[in-house]
Amino acid sequence: MSGLTPPAEPDVVVMPAAEAYDFEYFRARVDAGLLSRSIAVRVLRMPLLAVPVGGTRRGGWFGADSLTAALAVRDVLAPLNGFPGARITWRCTPRSSYAVEWGDRPPATWLDDNDRLAFYGLTRHAPQPGLGPESGRHDRARSSSPADFGCSSAAPYGRGPR
C-alpha cells in the first residue's frame, strides 16, 4: 500500500513555565514552590503548564489530542522529578481524547469542587477588584483557565487542574 505513511511524531518542546498560556491561571491558584518547578510543554503551537506533585498536590494531568501526542508528552514528563507514575488515560468529554496523568490516581467521583481542588493542590482564585463583567474588563488569569469538562469514566477532569 504505497502512499500510506505513519503519522509523524508530534513536536513536543519543553519551555520555561512562564511561557505557558495558562501560567497566570496557575500562578493565582497553586503553591509558588510548585509553580517554580513547573514546566511549559508545547505540543503543536500552544505551550501549557505541567505542574508537578508535592505538598498538598497529589496529582496532575495534561490533555493530548492523539495517542502519539500523549505518548510524547508522557515520555517528556516521566523522567522528570515531580511527575511520578506518568501514564496515559482516556477522557470522553468535551470530545474523546487522551490525557497524561501523574501522581496519585484521582477518585472516580468528587464529593464537591473543594475536594477536587484539594487533590490538585489548587486554591480558589480571588477575583481582583475592578475586574469582571460590570467593569468591562476581564481577569486574564481566569480567561486563560482550561475549559470545563468531565467524564463518567475519568471524573477528575473538571475546571483547570493540570
Side-chain angles (χ1 to χ4, degrees):
M1 297 184 117
S2 64
L4 293 179
T5 58
E9 292 263 336
D11 183 25
V12 176
V13 178
V14 175
M15 303 168 67
E19 305 253 342
Y21 281 25
D22 52 354
F23 181 80
E24 293 299 323
Y25 173 86
F26 285 99
R27 185 164 70 170
R29 293 167 178 82
V30 76
D31 176 75
L34 286 178
L35 192 63
S36 70
R37 295 180 25 229
S38 299
I39 60 170
V41 178
R42 187 185 77 200
V43 179
L44 300 174
R45 291 173 281 203
M46 188 166 75
L48 295 171
L49 204 63
V51 181
V53 296
T56 61
R57 184 173 171 87
R58 296 175 44 205
W61 65 270
F62 191 97
D65 285 340
S66 70
L67 180 56
T68 55
L71 288 165
V73 170
R74 184 204 57 196
D75 291 349
V76 164
L77 296 178
L80 300 178
N81 193 17
F83 299 91
R87 61 199 172 270
I88 297 170
T89 59
W90 179 257
R91 62 180 169 151
C92 56
T93 57
R95 58 187 171 80
S96 297
S97 61
Y98 295 91
V100 178
E101 291 181 345
W102 55 89
D104 292 348
R105 291 189 185 275
T109 60
W110 302 106
L111 296 174
D112 57 27
D113 200 42
N114 291 329
D115 188 37
R116 182 187 55 77
L117 290 172
F119 179 86
Y120 290 109
L122 299 172
T123 58
R124 291 202 180 274
H125 173 66
Q128 295 177 7
L131 295 178
E134 67 283 348
S135 69
R137 298 171 54 211
H138 70 281
D139 182 343
R140 290 180 133 199
R142 182 164 298 215
S143 66
S144 66
S145 66
D148 288 325
F149 53 92
C151 179
S152 60
S153 64
Y157 305 104
R159 184 173 181 84
R162 280 225 233 296

